[in-house]
């Protein structure tokens, strides 16, 4: 993988979905490294993508159901990223860029 650092990839793993005002934050459970930073990667699902979603799995109602669950329920989450994750300009974070909800897929953790 280090020979092709800029090639598109599918990243996946255990992750949690949290609602923040009108957008969502996804945080993976496992750490990864980008440059000198090693942390749990994140990405945002912006309101502009949610509001024009044609899929039930990425509708605001479904994402709220997952994000508001008590206790919190992890997901087995997949994100297709055209770019490698990058260090945030505002802190020591590693972020994926999500441009389209068709690049996002998830299942309940544990397959239930």
């Amino acid at each position: 993988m280090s020979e092709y650092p800029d090639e598109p990839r599918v990243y996946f793993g255990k992750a949690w979905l949290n609602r923040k005002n009108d957008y969502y934050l996804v945080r993976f459970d496992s750490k990864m490294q980008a440059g000198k930073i090693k942390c749990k990667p994140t990405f945002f699902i912006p309101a502009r993508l949610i509001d024009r979603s044609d899929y039930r799995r990425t509708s605001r109602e479904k994402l709220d159901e997952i994000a508001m669950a008590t206790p919190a329920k992890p997901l087995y989450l997949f994100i297709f990223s055209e770019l490698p994750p990058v260090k945030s300009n505002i802190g020591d974070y590693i972020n994926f860029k999500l441009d389209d909800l068709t690049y996002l897929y998830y299942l309940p953790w544990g397959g239930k």
Side-chain angles (χ1 to χ4, degrees):
M1 285 180 39
S2 62
E3 291 182 36
Y4 304 101
D6 294 329
E7 291 297 313
R9 295 198 179 108
V10 174
Y11 296 89
F12 62 93
K14 186 177 188 178
W16 280 267
L17 179 72
N18 298 294
R19 183 164 181 175
K20 306 286 185 184
N21 298 321
D22 65 341
Y23 68 93
Y24 298 86
L25 171 69
V26 176
R27 181 175 307 282
F28 284 93
D29 186 50
S30 297
K31 292 181 178 182
M32 74 179 303
Q33 188 161 349
K36 296 179 182 180
I37 304 298
K38 185 173 185 177
C39 64
K40 295 178 181 182
T42 60
F43 67 91
F44 300 95
I45 305 174
R48 66 179 168 74
L49 294 181
I50 299 162
D51 293 340
R52 55 179 217 234
S53 174
D54 293 329
Y55 306 106
R56 171 155 167 42
R57 67 182 167 79
T58 52
S59 69
R60 189 169 296 280
E61 293 78 23
K62 185 63 178 173
L63 296 177
D64 275 347
E65 177 186 322
I66 295 166
M68 306 293 192
T70 305
K73 296 179 182 178
L75 300 171
Y76 192 49
L77 192 128
F78 302 79
I79 180 173
F80 174 76
S81 183
E82 295 178 13
L83 302 171
V86 295
K87 180 190 174 300
S88 171
N89 291 332
I90 59 171
D92 290 339
Y93 304 104
I94 298 172
N95 294 323
F96 291 100
K97 184 177 179 186
L98 180 66
D99 288 327
D100 190 314
L101 290 178
T102 58
Y103 297 161
L104 176 69
Y105 187 75
Y106 62 84
L107 298 167
W109 185 257
K112 295 182 182 179

